[in-house]
Amino acid sequence: MAKSFFVDTSRCTACRGCQVACKEWHGHRAVPTRQRGSHQNPPELTPFNFKIVHFNEHMIDGRVEWLFFPEQCRHCVTAPCKDVADMYVEGAIVIDEPTGAVLYTDKTKELTIDQANEVKETCPYNIPRRDEDTGLVTKCDMCIDRVQAGMLPICVKTCCTGTMNFGERDAMLKLAEERLASVKKTHPKAELLDVDALNVIYLVTQPRTMYYEFAERKADPMTRKQLLAKFGKPVKRLFG
Amino acid sequence: MTNHWVDIKNADSILIMGSNAAEHHPISFKWVLKAKDKGATVMHIDPKFSRTSARSDFHVPLRSGTDIAFMGGMIKYILDNEAYQKQYMTEYTNAAFIVGGDYSFKDGMFAGYDAKTRTYDRKKWAFALDENGVPKRDKTLKDPRCVFQLMKKHYERYDLDKVSAITGVSKDNLLKVYKTYAATGAPDKSGTVMYALGWTQHSVGVQNIRSAAIIQLLLGNIGVAGGGINALRGEPNVQGSTDHCILWHILPGYLPVPSSQWQNLDEYNKANTPVSKDPMSANWWGNRPKYMASLLKGWFGDAGTKENGFGYDLLPKVEPGVDYSYMYLFQRMYEGKIKGGFVFGTNPCQSVPNSLKVRKAMDNLDWLVVGEVHHTETSDFWHRPGVDPKKIKTEVFLLPSCQRAEKGGTISNSGRWHMWHHKAVDPMGESKPMGQMIVEIFDAIRQKYKKDGGAFPDPILALDLPGDYDPDYLAKKINGWYTRDVVDGDKTYKKGDQVKNFTLLKDDGSTISLNWLYSGCYGPDGNLSLRRDLSQDEMQAKIGLFPKFSWCWPVNRRILYNRASVDLEGKPYAPEKAVIAWNGEKWIGDIPDGGWPPMASGKGKYPFIMQTEGHGQLYGPGRMDGPFPEHYEPAETPVKSHPFSKQLSSPVMKVIKSDMDVLAKPGDPKYPIVLTTYSMTEHWCGGGDTRNTPPLLEAEPQLYVEMSHELAKEKGVKNGDAVILESARGKVEAIAMVTIRMRPLNIQGKTVHLVGMPFCFGWTTPGVGDATNRLTPSVGDPNTTIPEYKACLVNLKKADKVTELNMS
């Protein structure tokens, strides 16, 4: 059974401990940012930011709703990005079977810019980023080094409010259902996002469209057949 | 905190006011959310809708500087609706005390005011005493001069209409908060108040907190699990440094600083040791001479003799009536009266109000020593924008300090937990712990005095401070030891034995302790700050009390004044979350505030042992600005009058006067907008540290000003535009953050806009903006002189060009 994250945004205070800890654990350099009228910085994921917290504010019935969404790779149960990458460079994207982690390897450097863009465009959540200097395509790696050593991913370890949770998929699904039932009492529109398709399960309190562009999944998981049809790549490249 | 972080989870109602807990004390929300999970109502009352508000049940915006009006309205609500906990209030607070005939309150002014000195004669506020010298009481609470009746009269004026008009809070919102919170007056319910600098940084800061104390005492919320007055203190070790006297007016353990009016130790003790004639009052400060003697012996060792007051004679003394705190210090520097100084771990050119004046004052120094991890606006003041370094005479020495993970030692958290933290890595380069720097500097001075002599070498040469810095040795000394063999009752202690705790400290020089409050942290059982044992009994488990995890002052008592959590028989008011209980022979649960049996036995002592009279102070005659909190406007206010009295602002607030300390007029049309300033999650205090931590600067890169859409529209400003803010003292550039989280308020029928800014950005980090405190005024609370950072007046306009902010 795979591992899953459960991200309970009803508990998130947007302290961004996860965002900063992620950078620190991965040894990522800081990217230049500017204040543009929002706390959200960097504005989106970069090759050096596998995780950022989104801030969105709405006025609903005279009440401010400030919505926080710690964004990261969803570690899809069937990862469309892998299917695309496999067509070009075998082993650029691999699945770690014991955890279900979708991992980008050094071989992503062998993808051309166009191929890397295809990988990115295939992701329903706009997650992968290419480092222009090295050609490496990167994203959240589930802190696989930590997890294999029996530790929690650093974003989960850092979280003090119970927003970030990690464990066996069954346990996370159970926790997610329990929390949803509880949160629905005060937030009737609360829901879990795409539970069946993802190993990162988000609980949101408001309609998913109110968070950010990619909080709402744009496409169903594509089958290999659909992918082939879409990109028209030779079969032998895929399986050879 | 009277309580501690974990205890927040026991609350039925949480009032967060004067604090943005989720952003500035993120871990607190672990416990706030646990309380919420169990059904607690979380309320956030604050000018700005913040990340705290986002996770609260509701947010109530109010105008900055009107907290006492808001809380006064709540006191009135509790009294009108008899929502108080009657037995607790009558027995444990001074509600029944009769106030002496000299006390009066008329149109915003208390009795005893001297307009010349801008001070009150507090003797006029004393309690009436009976023939034995014990305060008179009327437990029926009917006497018109009893505290309860005077309080009722005082807050009669704080009705919903008036409170709403001045705070900008709707009457519905007022009632919602009052009703919810007052429900914790039920004996088995508790409510906690979480506050921070949003309350202290006002010209009425102490009285903001007093108003919460009154509410908590009326509702029986002090001493109980899930209750208390909880000052949220931060990573800068505010709790520990206050306990150990970083402030000028106290010595370690809250002992008053020696003054020239007390020339010897006897005079000092006489003036500072309260006397109670009431046999039921423990009057704990009656022990002060023991703590002072032990401190002095700790400082001066064998050189501290009975003849020289254990070294008291060697200490410098302050002059009575002189304020030595920050704002006055910089005023003296501005006047050229200070030649040089040491700045360790603080960044006054960034963090003290009216930064332009502070920076200019620094130019008058001959020399300056700064201990810091990074270059800051203070260490580098001599080449700040707009000055010619060649014209600054100051010689600056920058001593590199190591980072927190590079040194071992103790830190005290808000819950008074005294915890050892271990060094993780060796310091980089030549950097050192600041403790080491101080010891080395002192030792060099000592050697010089030894060699060359001097006008008065005795205090330097007599000081018993080793030439090397050892935090373990200091922790041991803070706890204290015996200076000679001592027989105490049936026990014998050897010279050099560690003292068990402060109850055994003596005033005869036979014991030392560098801080009596911490005595017990390192007794015969060793260094208890190292403990990480989570074991607890069933009663402790119910309330999340971990008596063997670290150690907490005083004597490992986790909830202060816990004997107020039980009735006169010693039975807990809230049996499901009992803090202590009398089992017929002794107290079980937490360490009680003294082991005396319950009050009903006739052998008990009142639970508020630190008060001379032993009772919680609804009426507090010790403060500089009155025994009851009264609403006064900030020194800079958008209104010309308020509905409670003709006294617009505090008659005793501290106001610094100089040509650069200009204040806007009340209702000044040039500066119509209220500014409040604050910290943020991502940066630490003045930012000197975190602006040099790249991932944090990435997350919060530049100075911003949060404002409403309405104000932005009025000023033609769009989200992300650069704007210029101006007060009577200075100008600041910032990026506009236009948000629905700030709302215009209706104050006395007029729209008042409020803006908010962080203060952590400074010029030594290029392009991020510069000190927000160039806008704030040199005005302070009369008790603490804490500056009024939280409310002043500004105006703003869209910037044509900017020089402080990188815009590309």
Side-chain angles (χ1 to χ4, degrees), chain A residues 36-82:
Chain A
R36 294 158 200 269
S38 165
H39 289 291
Q40 186 176 317
N41 246 326
E44 57 168 289
L45 298 176
T46 78
F48 311 101
N49 297 81
F50 293 170
K51 182 146 195 163
I52 62 159
V53 178
H54 286 257
F55 293 73
N56 278 281
E57 54 188 46
H58 302 273
M59 186 72 85
I60 301 171
D61 301 331
R63 191 190 146 102
V64 178
E65 287 286 347
W66 202 8
L67 304 176
F68 310 132
F69 194 96
E71 180 195 20
Q72 63 175 87
C73 168
R74 313 299 201 272
H75 294 281
C76 297
V77 173
T78 305
C81 61
K82 176 173 161 54

Side-chain angles (χ1 to χ4, degrees), chain A:
Chain A
M1 180 53 98
K3 305 270 188 191
S4 288
F5 290 82
F6 167 52
V7 187
D8 183 352
T9 69
S10 76
R11 301 184 85 79
C12 182
T13 57
C15 75
R16 297 197 277 188
C18 57
Q19 177 178 324
V20 173
C22 177
K23 282 193 86 90
E24 294 279 341
W25 182 257
H26 291 96
H28 282 154
R29 67 170 172 82
V31 302
T33 52
R34 281 204 302 117
Q35 176 53 258
R36 294 158 200 269
S38 165
H39 289 291
Q40 186 176 317
N41 246 326
E44 57 168 289
L45 298 176
T46 78
F48 311 101
N49 297 81
F50 293 170
K51 182 146 195 163
I52 62 159
V53 178
H54 286 257
F55 293 73
N56 278 281
E57 54 188 46
H58 302 273
M59 186 72 85
I60 301 171
D61 301 331
R63 191 190 146 102
V64 178
E65 287 286 347
W66 202 8
L67 304 176
F68 310 132
F69 194 96
E71 180 195 20
Q72 63 175 87
C73 168
R74 313 299 201 272
H75 294 281
C76 297
V77 173
T78 305
C81 61
K82 176 173 161 54
D83 289 337
V84 172
D86 279 352
M87 293 190 296
Y88 304 117
V89 181
E90 192 75 10
I93 299 179
V94 298
I95 307 293
D96 177 62
E97 289 302 334
T99 57
V102 179
L103 300 174
Y104 285 23
T105 72
D106 256 7
K107 285 191 176 178
T108 54
K109 288 180 188 164
E110 295 169 26
L111 295 166
T112 64
I113 294 182
D114 287 348
Q115 290 164 350
N117 281 342
E118 254 180 59
V119 169
K120 183 180 175 185
E121 279 158 22
T122 310
C123 173
Y125 303 103
N126 186 35
I127 298 292
R129 292 292 185 275
R130 183 173 179 275
D131 179 351
E132 284 172 20
D133 294 335
T134 64
L136 196 68
V137 185
T138 58
K139 62 157 197 74
C140 163
D141 58 4
M142 200 187 266
C143 285
I144 190 72
D145 49 347
R146 294 178 57 88
V147 172
Q148 286 178 343
M151 295 188 286
L152 289 169
I154 197 68
C155 57
V156 179
K157 177 77 180 167
T158 307
C159 180
C160 62
T161 60
T163 304
M164 295 301 306
N165 303 273
F166 183 79
E168 295 300 323
R169 183 168 169 84
D170 279 353
M172 289 300 107
L173 286 172
K174 186 163 173 281
L175 180 61
E177 291 297 344
E178 281 168 12
R179 282 296 302 157
L180 179 65
S182 168
V183 171
K184 275 203 160 197
K185 287 177 207 155
T186 48
H187 297 83
K189 289 174 185 160
E191 63 173 319
L192 301 173
L193 300 183
D194 310 317
V195 180
D196 297 335
L198 308 178
N199 276 320
V200 179
I201 303 154
Y202 283 91
L203 188 163
V204 294
T205 56
Q206 297 293 337
R208 46 170 45 179
T209 47
M210 287 173 58
Y211 288 78
Y212 76 108
E213 191 183 355
F214 296 102
E216 182 173 20
R217 189 165 189 179
K218 287 184 144 179
D220 288 329
M222 288 188 230
T223 63
R224 290 189 172 194
K225 214 170 178 181
Q226 285 170 315
L227 268 170
L228 287 173
K230 182 171 176 186
F231 297 107
K233 302 295 174 190
V235 175
K236 69 171 187 184
R237 187 79 188 82
L238 247 182
F239 297 102

Side-chain angles (χ1 to χ4, degrees), chain B residues 503-532:
Chain B
T503 61
L504 300 178
L505 294 176
K506 302 283 180 230
D507 62 4
D508 60 3
S510 63
T511 56
I512 66 155
S513 167
L514 289 185
N515 188 337
W516 73 275
L517 272 178
Y518 281 79
S519 188
C521 71
Y522 205 139
D525 296 331
N527 184 357
L528 302 185
S529 73
L530 290 163
R531 293 190 302 182
R532 298 294 184 265

